[in-house]
Amino acid sequence: MFRLGKQSFTKFKDQLSGQRSLVGRISSELSKRSLSSGSALPESADVVIIGGGSAGCNTLYQLTKRGIRAVLLEQAKLTAGTTWHTAGLVWRLRPNDVEIKLLAATRNLLMSLEEETGYNSGWINNGGLFISHSDERLDEYKRLATLGKCFGIESEILTPHEAQKVFPLLDPAAFTGALYSPGDGVVDPAMMCTALTKAALANGGTVVEDCTATKIVTGENLLGVKDVRGIVTNKGTIRTNTVVNATGVWGRDLIEPLGVHLPLIPMKHAYVISETMEGVHQMLPNIRDHDYSIYFRIQGKSICMGGYENNPVLLDRVPNDFHFGLYDLDYSVFDTHIQGAVKLCPEFGTAGIKSTICGPESFTPDHKPLMGPDPLINGLFHNCGFNSAGMMLGAGCAEQLAQWIIHDRPDLHMFAYDVRRFSPKQKKAVNWATERSHEAYAKNYSIVFPHDEPLAGRNFTVDPFHKQMIQHGAVMEERHGWERPGYFLPEDTVVVQSYDWYGYYDYPKNTNTNYEETLKKDYTFGFPEHHDLIGEEALTCRQEAAMFNLSYFSKLFLTGSQAKEAVEWIFAGDLNKPINKTVYTCALNKRGGVETDVTISVVESGQGELHDPIFKGRGYYIVAGGASAYHTKSHIWAAIQEKALRAVVTDHTEELGVLSVQGPKSREIIQKITDFDLSDEEKLPPNSTAILSIQINPFYKCNVRILRVSFVGELGYELHIPEESCNDVYNALMKAGYKEGLRNAGYRALYSLSSEKGYHLWGYDLRSDDTPVEANLGFTCRKRGDYQGRAAIDRQLENGVSKRLAFFTLNEQVPIWGLEAVYRNGEIVGHLRRGEYGYTLQKPIGQAYITRKDGDYVTNEYIKSGHYQIEIMGKLHEAQCHLRSPFDPKGERILGIYK
């Protein structure tokens, strides 16, 4: 690794420590420019926002723009927390379509704000360069450029010498290539917040500075659920039913007295500002060197340089009075950035440092904000934890939050930011949040590979089969705090180690790096090393039988005197079915978007066991994907509360294990260990459930719930097993299936098989901004009775849709991962939401929503009549388009019909 010589580094430190006076001047200037409305505290408001930084000011602007009577409370002056010292970089490209839309919303607002308000937003469109030092990084940039084309974002891949022409101070010998995005820029935080609040005041909003919120007042509604009633401040009390927590690094502190927790960790984050440099001017592009983990922000004739190190200084809490405050720069931490910056731009090392900025920032376990309604207190919303990206995401996120508050849901699929992506168990676990936030910070600039996994916070929740999975060679993945098997190594055992903090903070680095080295074999945009092994699992499922551990799936019983009314309102499907019938259906939001897809079994009161509980009347057993389990539960419970229905949701996720045996031989394997006649189509037809006994040994049986369902398109069954019997049932199945070729299979094979069959994966090809009609799931929506979102569905059924899901296969053996642009007759009409390899089809397969340039409705005829190509790494590949997946189009295999 490149290092500064001792003499050069000493000189650099002297320059840093001798140039601190600018900090005071910056703080003083921002304090002067901070808006002081002089407003008294109103008696009431529709919405009260706590926190006057980027998140708070943007939220106030978006709400008042929509006619909401909103008040912003700031305990000091606007921008006094973390906003004032932000670098203010605004990029346009991210490896995620939703984030690209959020960034575009921010940029569009910054460019139009002065015309609207008469106040300069501080936006400067000077462009951006992403620097690459490897072929893999350049591949990532090609993927970004391809996705950007789908949204009209101009960008191009440059050679080092071409990049030097754009930024002459770069050393072209120091890197291998770059991505240039001329539409990127930078914004001044104080100017932006001034413009936003001036506009908000003109729209009837109120800003009260020097106003500390000391207590959020709550009560209880008729269902015994807490709700917001008002806020006590040092200037009096204000009545409101809606509060937005936009307090940044104080976001966790504000709501803990309410018994509410957020996984938010404050850390020190720093950058330095160079002296005036010859050749530097404001229209030079900003730079991100992801491999060196640094950024350059152009500020006049100076360069601001910062980055993300492996050993950031973690903070317990930030004092409430830390207004316009800064910390001393820790050179032992910042040293690594200096090395990379000087290597990339040698003149930076001789320029001298004018000032240093080291302030607190809020970080989260996945490096994404915490947004949306709190599931425990009605009327409490969050908009914090922006991971030093509050300027670039602030306006886009505030726009979505305003929709969330006013219309119950945002326009975009905001699950990646939704606070409900974390379970209550995760939110309470400060140690877990700290580990994960540290790693997310350190890896912020790492290449986003399709199958990377965290090393921090592992083994947080394990299912009853965990030890057996490891013994059989499982390479584990983590989702929603749970460990699940990704795939199985036939002759190796890989154990996830405790987090070693990269060897910092006096933690010794792990000596056993087997798991970490196994993950690195997936660090590619080509076919990974384990591609064929995963294919063996998938093909075994198609030809014989495979067993999948689905234990982390959400498992809920909905019961109560109004359980029937509850499921009929929450879910679009027809659940007026006989006892033991299982139905696949969706829960929709008011716009018709899919909040979750589930299987629901109609059940009657049982024997009092976990899988067969006792209750009055008719009940419903709901099974949903595990990665969004708490989101699913929260959505169901919120709908029950809204309708004030007498219904109860009981969560058995951690108490029941699930083994799914799928494939042509699945029936005969399970039949060996039960006297229940699985071939009796009246007792257990497709899409049904029953209670049966498993013969563990000649002297012991245990009862389980069996569901005849499949997520892979094969004859198959799920066994839902009480925790204490899980290991026995697993061993019995493996013994029964030994001669039939039964093998363990992981989620990598499961997702390949499901994509090949044409089944949906929520969060990818089925999201909260997709309706069932658009996703070819119109059959899940009943024609009789009201349900949430029905009006939107009826309109689409009558008028048509402006986007529709289609499937694409490629004859070329080229991997696809999702985000690739889809061309129809030479025009971009969408991008792949999901990309897999279909091992049975022996082709790559992906799903995309097709749109029309003219905005007209998308019909089946329109889709079928086009000539399609997929852009992969900047190259076009011929593709075949299908309205439905070409695998088993008649659905015979799931019925046990094999030819």
Side-chain angles (χ1 to χ4, degrees):
M1 180 182 290
F2 174 81
R3 295 189 64 84
L4 284 173
K6 182 177 180 181
Q7 190 173 20
S8 299
F9 187 53
T10 302
K11 178 183 177 182
F12 205 95
K13 289 199 292 184
D14 291 342
Q15 291 169 334
L16 290 175
S17 60
Q19 300 291 336
R20 300 305 303 276
S21 61
L22 182 64
V23 175
R25 296 202 300 273
I26 292 173
S27 177
S28 175
E29 180 64 21
L30 281 168
S31 184
K32 290 176 185 176
R33 290 163 69 179
S34 183
L35 179 76
S36 181
S37 68
S39 301
L41 188 71
E43 292 184 359
S44 65
D46 297 332
V47 180
V48 175
I49 303 152
I50 306 176
S54 170
C57 293
N58 271 297
T59 303
L60 179 71
Y61 168 81
Q62 294 291 347
L63 287 171
T64 56
K65 182 179 179 179
R66 291 163 172 79
I68 301 300
R69 194 164 53 95
V71 175
L72 185 151
L73 309 180
E74 166 54 46
Q75 66 178 349
K77 302 296 181 185
L78 295 186
T79 76
T82 61
T83 294
W84 76 273
H85 60 70
T86 181
L89 295 162
V90 179
W91 312 97
R92 301 186 75 190
L93 293 172
R94 289 279 243 246
N96 179 291
D97 63 322
V98 174
E99 288 194 353
I100 284 180
K101 291 178 181 178
L102 294 172
L103 293 169
T106 295
R107 183 176 181 271
N108 292 340
L109 176 65
L110 292 172
M111 291 195 300
S112 64
L113 203 54
E114 184 172 7
E115 182 178 350
E116 176 187 345
T117 66
Y119 287 85
N120 188 337
S121 67
W123 165 251
I124 299 173
N125 188 169
N126 57 324
L129 269 177
F130 286 3
I131 301 297
S132 167
H133 295 267
S134 68
D135 291 341
E136 290 80 8
R137 180 69 76 179
L138 208 56
D139 283 345
E140 182 182 43
Y141 291 167
K142 290 175 183 177
R143 283 172 53 78
L144 288 178
T146 295
L147 181 61
K149 291 178 184 179
C150 301
F151 298 93
I153 297 175
E154 179 188 356
S155 67
E156 59 180 318
I157 301 294
L158 303 180
T159 67
H161 287 286
E162 289 171 337
Q164 188 188 36
K165 291 179 182 178
V166 178
F167 197 115
L169 278 69
L170 297 180
D171 178 3
F175 59 103
T176 60
L179 173 64
Y180 178 47
S181 175
D184 295 348
V186 68
V187 61
D188 180 281
M191 294 174 70
M192 183 194 75
C193 289
T194 297
L196 289 169
T197 49
K198 286 290 187 182
L201 290 176
N203 290 330
T206 304
V207 175
V208 186
E209 296 181 310
D210 301 313
C211 183
T212 302
T214 57
K215 181 181 181 182
I216 298 176
V217 181
T218 61
E220 285 191 2
N221 62 22
L222 295 177
L223 295 176
V225 178
K226 281 186 178 182
D227 56 13
V228 170
R229 302 291 174 87
I231 298 177
V232 178
T233 78
N234 61 327
K235 292 189 176 184
T237 300
I238 180 170
R239 298 192 311 275
T240 186
N241 297 121
T242 306
V243 169
V244 176
N245 171 20
T247 54
V249 292
W250 297 281
R252 186 180 67 186
D253 306 345
L254 174 71
I255 47 89
E256 278 184 348
L258 302 175
V260 177
H261 303 274
L262 288 180
L264 187 152
I265 306 300
M267 301 184 199
K268 293 181 181 180
H269 191 57
Y271 62 89
V272 298
I273 305 173
S274 75
E275 294 284 3
T276 298
M277 294 176 61
E278 186 176 348
V280 173
H281 56 84
Q282 187 60 68
M283 296 315 295
L284 282 182
N286 303 310
I287 288 177
R288 261 184 170 178
D289 188 325
H290 292 92
D291 295 312
Y292 285 165
S293 199
I294 60 172
Y295 62 80
F296 286 176
R297 177 228 200 255
I298 305 304
Q299 182 172 301
K301 295 184 177 182
S302 299
I303 292 178
C304 302
M305 186 277 290
Y308 294 84
E309 55 281 341
N310 289 345
N311 58 334
V313 178
L314 308 176
L315 301 169
D316 180 24
R317 298 182 189 272
V318 178
N320 286 336
D321 60 354
F322 199 80
H323 309 142
F324 298 109
L326 290 173
Y327 303 104
D328 289 332
L329 188 71
D330 188 329
Y331 309 116
S332 65
V333 173
F334 203 80
D335 176 19
T336 182
H337 303 319
I338 297 170
Q339 299 169 35
V342 174
K343 187 171 183 179
L344 181 66
C345 178
E347 293 183 38
F348 182 81
T350 60
I353 296 302
K354 183 163 46 179
S355 60
T356 67
I357 306 293
C358 181
E361 290 282 1
S362 55
F363 294 92
T364 62
D366 54 9
H367 215 76
K368 296 186 184 300
L370 303 171
M371 290 184 60
D374 192 278
L376 300 181
I377 299 181
N378 287 343
L380 175 61
F381 288 78
H382 301 289
N383 193 22
C384 56
F386 274 84
N387 300 274
S388 196
M391 300 304 291
M392 72 177 82
L393 292 171
C397 285
E399 184 177 41
Q400 294 304 309
L401 186 66
Q403 298 285 353
W404 226 325
I405 292 169
I406 298 168
H407 301 297
D408 190 50
R409 289 300 295 158
D411 294 327
L412 301 179
H413 178 68
M414 295 294 289
F415 175 72
Y417 291 11
D418 192 331
V419 69
R420 294 171 296 179
R421 71 189 185 272
F422 296 112
S423 69
K425 180 179 176 181
Q426 289 174 301
K427 286 186 281 191
K428 288 180 182 178
V430 177
N431 288 342
W432 176 85
T434 304
E435 279 193 17
R436 289 294 296 270
S437 298
H438 169 266
E439 185 181 30
Y441 179 102
K443 292 184 67 174
N444 183 36
Y445 280 1
S446 296
I447 298 175
V448 182
F449 287 112
H451 293 293
D452 196 8
E453 292 294 326
L455 299 175
R458 297 300 296 269
N459 296 320
F460 182 71
T461 304
V462 298
D463 63 57
F465 307 108
H466 183 71
K467 288 183 179 179
Q468 287 159 313
M469 297 292 101
I470 299 298
Q471 289 168 357
H472 283 83
V475 178
M476 303 302 286
E477 303 174 344
E478 185 273 342
R479 299 294 184 275
H480 204 43
W482 285 75
E483 296 292 315
R484 70 179 198 183
Y487 57 93
F488 289 81
L489 299 173
E491 298 178 354
D492 200 1
T493 299
V494 180
V495 179
V496 179
Q497 302 296 306
S498 298
Y499 189 50
D500 65 7
W501 299 86
Y502 288 30
Y504 290 100
Y505 315 112
D506 296 325
Y507 280 84
K509 285 189 70 66
N510 288 327
T511 55
N512 182 349
T513 60
N514 197 7
Y515 179 74
E516 191 174 350
E517 295 303 315
T518 302
L519 289 184
K520 288 180 181 178
K521 295 175 182 178
D522 274 333
Y523 288 2
T524 176
F525 293 108
F527 289 117
E529 184 172 319
H530 299 109
H531 175 77
D532 291 340
L533 178 62
I534 294 164
E536 291 175 13
E537 294 180 8
L539 292 174
T540 299
C541 179
R542 293 276 187 241
Q543 298 164 3
E544 296 174 304
M547 185 155 63
F548 300 92
N549 177 5
L550 308 184
S551 298
Y552 94 119
F553 272 34
S554 175
K555 299 174 283 290
L556 310 171
F557 281 95
L558 196 158
T559 58
S561 61
Q562 291 185 300
K564 182 174 183 291
E565 291 87 341
V567 294
E568 288 180 344
W569 169 249
I570 297 168
F571 298 101
D574 181 5
L575 289 163
N576 187 23
K577 300 292 184 181
I579 295 295
N580 292 335
K581 180 63 178 175
T582 300
V583 177
Y584 171 76
T585 187
C586 300
L588 311 183
N589 54 45
K590 293 173 182 176
R591 293 188 174 95
V594 179
E595 291 293 331
T596 182
D597 64 330
V598 301
T599 59
I600 302 180
S601 300
V602 184
V603 295
E604 60 186 347
S605 182
Q607 300 300 312
E609 297 181 273
L610 288 170
H611 61 286
D612 191 26
I614 297 172
F615 50 85
K616 291 183 178 180
R618 172 176 288 215
Y620 302 87
Y621 182 47
I622 303 170
V623 180
S628 54
Y630 189 60
H631 176 272
T632 297
K633 180 179 176 182
S634 297
H635 178 79
I636 294 171
W637 180 233
I640 290 172
Q641 290 181 61
E642 182 181 11
K643 289 290 187 178
L645 296 169
R646 292 187 294 276
V648 177
V649 178
T650 307
D651 191 343
H652 287 312
T653 300
E654 293 199 30
E655 300 165 307
L656 293 173
V658 180
L659 294 175
S660 178
V661 183
Q662 302 285 325
K665 297 182 179 180
S666 59
R667 177 180 291 168
E668 60 183 290
I669 291 171
I670 300 175
Q671 192 65 73
K672 291 181 181 181
I673 56 174
T674 183
D675 55 8
F676 187 100
D677 187 358
L678 295 174
S679 64
D680 189 334
E681 292 289 323
E682 292 187 4
K683 283 186 175 181
L684 195 65
N687 298 313
S688 66
T689 184
I691 303 297
L692 57 74
S693 292
I694 297 293
Q695 189 76 50
I696 302 301
N697 58 49
F699 311 102
Y700 171 57
K701 293 181 179 181
C702 69
N703 291 331
V704 304
R705 177 175 294 279
I706 188 169
L707 275 70
R708 186 176 168 185
V709 293
S710 178
F711 190 52
V712 298
E714 298 292 328
L715 173 67
Y717 305 85
E718 289 180 7
L719 301 181
H720 293 235
I721 312 160
E723 184 177 10
E724 64 272 12
S725 301
C726 282
N727 290 337
D728 290 333
V729 173
Y730 176 86
N731 292 332
L733 281 168
M734 291 298 288
K735 183 179 179 181
Y738 178 75
K739 291 184 179 179
E740 314 304 330
L742 178 67
R743 70 182 291 167
N744 289 296
Y747 279 80
R748 296 276 286 276
L750 182 76
Y751 286 163
S752 165
L753 292 162
S754 73
S755 178
E756 188 173 56
K757 174 56 183 169
Y759 290 160
H760 295 71
L761 180 59
W762 193 85
Y764 291 86
D765 56 328
L766 185 65
R767 308 190 309 199
S768 61
D769 54 350
D770 306 317
T771 71
V773 182
E774 295 164 342
N776 300 323
L777 290 174
F779 67 89
T780 67
C781 300
R782 66 184 186 271
K783 296 180 180 179
R784 296 182 180 180
D786 196 16
Y787 56 85
Q788 184 163 250
R790 174 161 186 177
I793 300 303
D794 287 347
R795 282 194 301 271
Q796 290 188 337
L797 289 173
E798 181 177 352
N799 301 326
V801 293
S802 57
K803 68 177 184 182
R804 188 179 292 276
L805 186 68
F807 294 81
F808 297 88
T809 56
L810 282 73
N811 289 329
E812 296 178 79
Q813 297 297 307
V814 181
I816 53 176
W817 306 110
L819 306 182
E820 294 85 358
V822 177
Y823 291 75
R824 179 186 182 274
N825 297 344
E827 287 188 337
I828 293 178
V829 292
H831 66 275
L832 294 184
R833 289 274 196 86
R834 183 180 174 195
E836 300 282 352
Y837 188 82
Y839 290 96
T840 314
L841 296 174
Q842 296 184 1
K843 294 179 179 180
I845 184 168
Q847 291 99 310
Y849 283 85
I850 301 305
T851 60
R852 294 182 60 147
K853 283 261 184 175
D854 58 12
D856 202 353
Y857 294 123
V858 177
T859 63
N860 288 347
E861 289 71 25
Y862 175 82
I863 292 176
K864 289 190 294 185
S865 63
H867 167 250
Y868 291 92
Q869 296 170 300
I870 308 291
E871 183 176 332
I872 304 170
M873 300 296 184
K875 296 181 181 179
L876 291 177
H877 298 264
E878 295 296 311
Q880 291 74 48
C881 181
H882 314 271
L883 295 175
R884 301 288 188 274
S885 169
F887 175 79
D888 189 23
K890 295 183 180 180
E892 293 179 321
R893 298 172 72 95
I894 201 168
L895 301 176
I897 302 172
Y898 290 93
K899 298 178 181 178

